Amino acid sequence: MDGRRTSETVESLLDDLTREEKLDLVRGAPDPEGTSTGYLPGVPRLDVPPLRLVDGPMGIRAGGFEDPLAATAFPASISLAATFDPELAREQGAAMAREAKARGQDAVLGPGVNLIRVPQGGRNFEYLSEEPTLSAAQAGAVVRGIQGEDAIATPKHYVANSQETDRVTVSSEVDERTLRELYLPAFRAAVDAGAGSVMTAYNRINGIDANDHAHLIRDVLKEEWGFQGYTVSDWFATRDAASAANGGLDLEMPGTSVREAFGEYEGEPDLDAIDPGGMPGPDQGGVFGADLAVAIEEGEVPLERLDDMVARVLRAMEEIGLLGDPRPTTERPDREGAIDTDDHRALAERIAVRGTVLLENDGVLPLADDADVALIGPNVDGATLGGGGSSAVTPVRERSPATAFSDREPSVTVEEGLPPVEGADLFDLFDGDGEEEVESDGREPKMDDAVAAAERAEVAVVVVGDTTTEGRDREDLRLPGRQDELVSRVADAGGRTVVVVNSGGPVEVPWREKVDAIAAAWYPGQADGAALTAVLYGDEEPGGRLPVTFAPEGEYPTSDERRYPGVDGEAHYEEGLFVGYRHFDAADAEATYPFGHGESYAEFAYGEPELVEGDRAGPGVAVRVPVENVADRPGREVVQVYVRPPRNDDRPVRELAGFASVEIGAGEERAVEMGLEGRAFSRWDGEEGWTVDPGTYTVEVGRSSGDLRTTVAVEIEP
Ligand code: BGC
């Protein structure tokens, strides 16, 4: 049992459970109520209730794809990261947990915390950022929120699962230092924040299935970090019972093979025709049943391992009150939740506002209340909820840009300009049809109408977007269909042009020089229109900063086939630590908008920073910097601290070490204090582990990785 903290309740259950009952506690089964994404039957004889797992990470998807039960549709996780505000992340976690409980669910399958390595990544919208310190802060906060409401958080997908192309077969070839410094910190933070569960990934890491990875699961996650909860497989990801159990996998989901689960559809979809890289093969999954029993019987998997697996599941259940006294079995435990409350709706809107990044603004924004506006865009009639796949949420209510603009100012003209860009969907992969469906034929009367509306208006607001989905990466970073042409033609029409981009990650903005303002609003969720009008009309600050670098596709470090999507089944993470701005800084490559960038409607002046606890680095070091709002309106600034290490040969030029999102009144000054994250001065050394080299470090403070305003030196003695 690895000397774990195991309560008397769990100990006595382990004594009382039969081997068959134990085997049933490590493998999913069909949910009799059909509401959960993953279901674990309890053991009524011993008053162990069932455990219900439900998809996140942007809201709750109970009831399955065919009959979804409504829930609050929060903005994409990348938008939550763009807020640079762990308190908002905690609140979203708590709200999702309350919604899960209201639907009778116990575990949320989120947050998604894989590092954004590849700009085309189909699931970038479900993840947080390219930056381990930012991702760790937001991941830990979401987990605290979920667990704080007595639900189990499930950070996913452990680990180096940063592409959808061949996601089920590819091996991420990545060295230990890069794992430690980039890909693991968000998981570590989630574990430290009390996550009851961790979901393993579909891919392999250095040739070994993520489910079977003894080094990463057993040694790092459980031994080194002291993770007490259970690891759960991604759906149908398992291939071999003994390797998974011995590698450290504790719970298999959904507990059957793909063929068993979908066989009832009698050949539809044709399981053997599904892209074997993007979706698990027909015979994957379902190994913790008979196979595991045999492996234990034959001594291939020790019996103590089964006890440990069960103990981990029970511990996580106990932690959220499912094994309380009296224990509920037939009835649901008293686990009150709440769906679609005023607070949750307001929170979804607040995060969408605070996650909106103003990339450019020549002064056209904020719009005057009586501005003569044409609202243009193929999808303005609906809220942009998210990308495709398991994270899709069906909201009770949603507010489209068209409704929000028209309600605010009835004189706004609305033109689509192009036929709606259809969202990409994971289930297209089942039909062997993975192409984005975008109308692209010849003449487009709608575009002429949009251009005419722009000509008549003072300001054209053009809303454009990409479509991304789990299971498939984007082909490139261009906007699908003729949207670039639409923006260009509207910009040429003569009035002023504001472009709003709804995307799951970076996009190229070839019309950048022609337009007056650009806002990245990601996938804003159910509050789309409400948040958009609040920001564009200036009721609220665009509080977001870029959690990913925007650049032309060829400038990213993964624009080499060996690195992405990989060759011969291997994606070589040869760029090592140089992902995102770490690459752009080191290579002097051209970023369109750097990491951390975002304009405010106010303007800020930075004073001299000081180290708050002495001038020696170490745990507890904080930086204090005076920041003044020199504008005549209140504003929100995201103050960022980067650390530049003394030697640069094998280390990034700078790395984010702390940040704070602060509101500052017109003409006011605030002393902003930011704790520097514990590893701010360290690097991972193959022999020594985390190591702090002596020398002079420069602590840089500013508005983005590309706009540093002031510095202070930190001496570290040998
Ligand atoms: C996804 C997971 C998700 C699971 C259950 C998988 O396809 O990768 O993120 O939680 O399905 O829907």
Side-chain angles (χ1 to χ4, degrees):
M1 218 48 115
D2 306 336
R4 299 297 176 210
R5 296 191 304 265
T6 301
S7 69
E8 278 175 29
T9 311
V10 171
E11 288 290 1
S12 83
L13 280 171
L14 287 175
D15 287 343
D16 295 344
L17 287 161
T18 65
R19 193 184 300 179
E20 285 64 39
E21 286 166 339
K22 287 177 184 170
L23 282 163
D24 283 345
L25 282 174
V26 298
R27 172 199 190 201
D31 176 0
E33 287 165 25
T35 58
S36 50
T37 310
Y39 176 82
L40 193 59
V43 183
R45 181 180 77 83
L46 296 172
D47 293 343
V48 176
L51 181 69
R52 293 182 171 85
L53 286 52
V54 71
D55 257 322
M58 293 149 48
I60 297 309
R61 187 179 50 77
F65 284 108
E66 275 166 23
D67 202 6
L69 299 167
T72 304
F74 289 96
S77 308
I78 195 171
S79 172
L80 181 63
T83 68
F84 278 69
D85 189 342
E87 179 50 23
L88 285 177
R90 191 199 59 76
E91 284 182 49
Q92 181 177 324
M96 291 193 299
R98 286 191 292 270
E99 301 218 341
K101 289 198 297 186
R103 295 289 185 217
Q105 310 294 314
D106 311 300
V108 176
L109 301 174
V113 308
N114 290 109
L115 199 80
I116 297 183
R117 168 179 184 254
V118 176
Q120 303 91 330
R123 295 186 90 170
N124 287 350
F125 72 95
E126 283 189 66
Y127 300 146
L128 295 160
S129 79
E130 69 183 26
E131 199 338 286
T133 299
L134 174 61
S135 289
Q138 296 299 75
V142 174
V143 167
R144 267 194 301 283
I146 295 174
Q147 295 277 160
E149 289 286 335
D150 286 337
I152 296 171
T154 315
K156 62 189 185 183
H157 313 85
Y158 192 72
V159 60
N161 180 190
S162 293
Q163 67 186 60
E164 294 304 285
T165 306
D166 300 331
R167 67 169 170 164
V168 181
T169 49
V170 75
S171 177
S172 301
E173 297 290 310
V174 51
D175 64 74
E176 185 76 13
R177 178 175 182 190
T178 304
L179 281 170
R180 296 286 182 159
E181 293 192 24
L182 292 193
Y183 296 93
L184 289 172
F187 288 97
R188 171 84 202 245
V191 167
D192 288 349
S197 172
V198 170
M199 189 190 294
T200 51
Y202 281 129
N203 53 287
R204 292 175 292 146
I205 304 106
N206 300 324
I208 299 171
D209 258 30
N211 305 300
D212 307 353
H213 215 294
H215 169 59
L216 289 169
I217 304 180
R218 238 174 38 197
D219 304 347
V220 176
L221 176 70
K222 293 181 176 177
E223 293 296 327
E224 196 182 311
W225 299 352
F227 173 64
Q228 303 279 314
Y230 62 87
T231 52
V232 56
S233 72
D234 200 343
W235 266 234
F236 306 107
T238 41
R239 292 186 169 88
D240 182 81
S243 326
N246 290 331
L249 185 71
D250 302 310
L251 173 61
E252 184 199 47
M253 279 292 165
T256 58
S257 69
V258 173
R259 213 181 284 285
E260 271 176 273
F262 294 100
E264 64 192 72
Y265 293 110
E266 292 180 9
E268 280 298 336
D270 178 359
L271 298 177
D272 296 294
I274 295 172
D275 165 18
M279 298 297 285
D283 299 310
Q284 271 186 258
V287 302
F288 272 11
D291 289 6
L292 182 59
V294 171
I296 290 172
E297 202 48 52
E298 293 182 347
E300 225 188 322
V301 175
L303 202 48
E304 302 79 63
R305 178 65 191 110
L306 178 63
D307 279 352
D308 178 45
M309 292 154 78
V310 172
R312 287 172 174 280
V313 171
L314 293 176
R315 263 199 301 258
M317 291 174 70
E318 186 179 37
E319 187 76 29
I320 61 159
L322 286 183
L323 301 183
D325 190 18
R327 264 180 241 153
T329 49
T330 46
E331 297 288 307
R332 289 300 302 157
D334 178 22
R335 292 170 50 71
E336 267 178 37
I339 281 268
D340 187 41
T341 61
D342 287 350
D343 282 355
H344 294 183
R345 276 178 239 144
L347 179 62
E349 181 176 334
R350 192 153 74 244
I351 295 169
V353 164
R354 295 277 305 280
T356 301
V357 184
L358 189 57
L359 297 172
E360 307 252 359
N361 181 21
D362 72 357
V364 63
L365 295 176
L367 298 171
D369 281 334
D370 59 354
D372 181 9
V373 172
L375 176 68
I376 296 166
N379 291 55
V380 292
D381 276 335
T384 298
L385 297 175
S390 58
S391 63
V393 176
T394 307
V396 177
R397 64 201 76 225
E398 58 180 75
R399 196 146 168 82
S400 72
T403 320
F405 270 88
S406 305
D407 284 357
R408 181 164 186 130
E409 180 47 65
S411 68
V412 169
T413 324
V414 179
E415 287 291 347
E416 290 183 337
L418 289 168
V421 177
E422 298 294 335
D425 197 319
L426 177 63
F427 296 99
D428 296 344
L429 301 178
F430 283 104
D431 306 329
D433 165 20
E435 294 312 305
E436 285 166 358
E437 291 168 35
V438 179
E439 188 87 31
S440 63
D441 58 325
R443 243 186 70 75
E444 192 52 76
K446 287 187 167 190
M447 198 177 305
D448 297 338
D449 294 346
V451 173
E455 272 165 4
R456 287 191 304 268
E458 206 181 316
V459 184
V461 174
V462 196
V463 182
V464 290
D466 70 1
T467 55
T468 59
T469 179
E470 175 184 341
R472 192 176 72 238
D473 290 325
R474 294 194 55 194
E475 268 163 36
D476 51 49
L477 299 187
R478 287 199 302 265
L479 295 173
R482 298 173 65 191
Q483 295 182 94
D484 284 330
E485 184 188 341
L486 174 67
V487 174
S488 283
R489 286 194 54 195
V490 167
D492 289 341
R496 315 198 70 190
T497 306
V498 175
V499 183
V500 176
V501 182
N502 290 135
S503 72
V507 294
E508 288 174 350
V509 288
W511 26 257
R512 175 185 179 189
E513 305 286 340
K514 287 186 174 188
V515 303
D516 301 284
I518 309 175
W522 317 109
Y523 302 149
Q526 66 178 41
D528 184 344
L532 186 60
T533 46
V535 170
L536 296 191
Y537 282 96
D539 311 341
E540 303 281 353
E541 269 272 279
R545 302 293 184 266
L546 283 184
V548 285
T549 306
F550 273 45
E553 189 178 327
E555 299 287 343
Y556 289 88
T558 46
S559 56
D560 160 352
E561 201 191 356
R562 249 178 84 75
R563 296 181 181 182
Y564 168 79
V567 289
D568 301 329
E570 296 181 341
H572 297 268
Y573 285 38
E574 287 164 342
E575 73 286 355
L577 303 175
F578 298 92
V579 169
Y581 69 89
R582 288 166 170 75
H583 158 76
F584 286 86
D585 280 349
D588 244 338
E590 188 206 340
T592 314
Y593 302 108
F595 173 85
H597 170 75
E599 302 289 346
S600 162
Y601 291 149
E603 206 186 318
F604 303 95
Y606 282 68
E608 288 301 309
E610 54 175 338
L611 296 175
V612 182
E613 283 175 30
D615 53 4
R616 283 182 58 97
V621 168
V623 172
R624 188 189 292 148
V625 63
V627 180
E628 187 186 352
N629 177 356
V630 294
D632 58 5
R633 55 176 296 144
R636 178 174 285 280
E637 178 68 321
V638 176
V639 183
Q640 301 165 41
V641 181
Y642 295 82
V643 170
R644 253 183 120 107
R647 311 192 330 254
N648 274 334
D649 45 353
D650 65 347
R651 291 183 77 166
V653 176
R654 61 175 59 82
E655 298 185 276
L656 186 72
F659 55 87
S661 173
V662 288
E663 213 167 32
I664 309 181
E668 284 175 15
E669 181 179 291
R670 270 184 72 169
V672 181
E673 195 171 305
M674 288 150 294
L676 296 195
E677 194 260 336
R679 304 243 181 272
F681 299 93
S682 331
R683 63 179 171 84
W684 178 264
D685 182 276
E687 317 241 294
E688 310 279 329
W690 290 108
T691 303
V692 179
D693 296 317
T696 308
Y697 290 72
T698 309
V699 174
E700 304 176 312
V701 183
R703 302 204 69 240
S704 80
S705 63
D707 183 2
L708 294 156
R709 299 286 176 92
T710 168
T711 65
V712 56
V714 173
E715 251 349 292
I716 297 193
E717 312 278 333

